[in-house]
Amino acid sequence: MPKTRRQPSSDLAKFREIFAKSKHVVAITGAGISAESGVPTFRGSGGLWRKYMAQELATPQAFSDNPSLVWEFYSYRRELVLTKEPNAAHKALAEAEKRLKQDNRRLVVITQNIDELHRRAGSENVIELHGTLFKTRCMRCGDIAVNKDSPICPALKDKGSPDPAVMDSNIPLDDLPHCKKAGCNGLLRPHVVWFGEPLEPEVLEEVEKELSKCDLCLVIGTSSVVYPAAMFAPQVAARGLPVAEFNIEKTPSTYEFGFHFEGPSGTTLPEALKP
Ligand code: BJW
Ligand code: ZN
């Protein structure tokens, strides 16, 4: 016998009643929220993991095998994101955060995205689970530095994204980004979380704190398949709290949530969060 599934509600008026009374809102976001800004997702049509094998670009092994190839991928994405702007969904979250704050209420964004579009939209309470495209980490001294250079180094200028048919790149190691700390000169890597790497403990502690206090959770534009992020909203739902998903399609977690609003978040979210 198939398990009976409880259909989530799409009653916007009911959601808005709950939102109006909520004191502490957590919004978990993924690549889908930036899709309407022109940033590719990972798993949907046109997604990066449809074109590339994740293990060839987003693992520590991939970086140690071919740092030049991995840097091409991240340098291309840095340059792309610099040409993009936050969309109506990013702005709706930033505006709601400000509005709630005036009322001594709180909205925090927990994002899997590394594009910084939430910050550029004006959100202040942002937890970046998987790091950011615009920080580097030194493989030798561990220094983490903000880096918005465009291009990040001359050798990566106009390199484009890796060719999926070739998946090779041979920029000499010396020409890749290196640490500027006195006497170090170690190879830099993007300060992002790859598969098989743990998320930073301080980041997870912050997430835990926010989730334990929240009384409403929004899940926006994520396929909810990558852990640990995929378990955050189901944990909130399991405490009997309202969770609302905004996505163009259903996900493996949809039936655990109270609300599901189907459609592009640039349209559905501003409507749901408007004053
Ligand atoms: C729209 C829309 C529109 C489109 N409007 N919606 C437990 C069980 C099973 C596996 C694991 C487990 N625990 C750990 C694992 C392994 C692994 C994992 O989860 N694997 C799964 C794939 C099975 N996790 C890890 O390895 C993590 N590390 C970890 O857990 O460490 C533990 C450890 C402890 C101690 C020692 C060692 C390890 C790390 C995960 C890192 C993920 N990294 C990436 C790439 C790096 C950053 C980058 O380059 O960008 O992060 S992978 C990629 O997926 C990226 C994303 O942040 C992440 C999530 O993707 P997201 O955001 O959900 O995007 P999509 O494309 O999947 O979905 C888009 C959605 O939007 C879709 O639903 C669309 O429908 C929707 N959409 N347009 C609204 N307009
Ligand atoms: Zn260094």
Side-chain angles (χ1 to χ4, degrees), residues 19 23 30 40 43 61 73 112-113 118 122 134 159 177-178 192 196-197 212-213 220 230 246 256 262:
F19 176 54
K23 298 257 183 306
R43 295 170 183 83
Q61 188 63 48
F73 179 60
Q112 296 167 84
N113 300 344
H118 285 296
F134 301 101
K159 279 300 269 183
H178 279 74
V192 300
E197 293 187 313
S212 70
K213 290 197 221 144
I220 308 153
F246 298 80
E256 297 176 49
E262 204 139 324

Side-chain angles (χ1 to χ4, degrees), residues 85 91 96 114 130 139 151 158 196 230 253:
E85 297 298 330
K91 290 179 193 163
I114 60 173
H130 296 161
M139 300 289 288
D158 299 331
S253 300

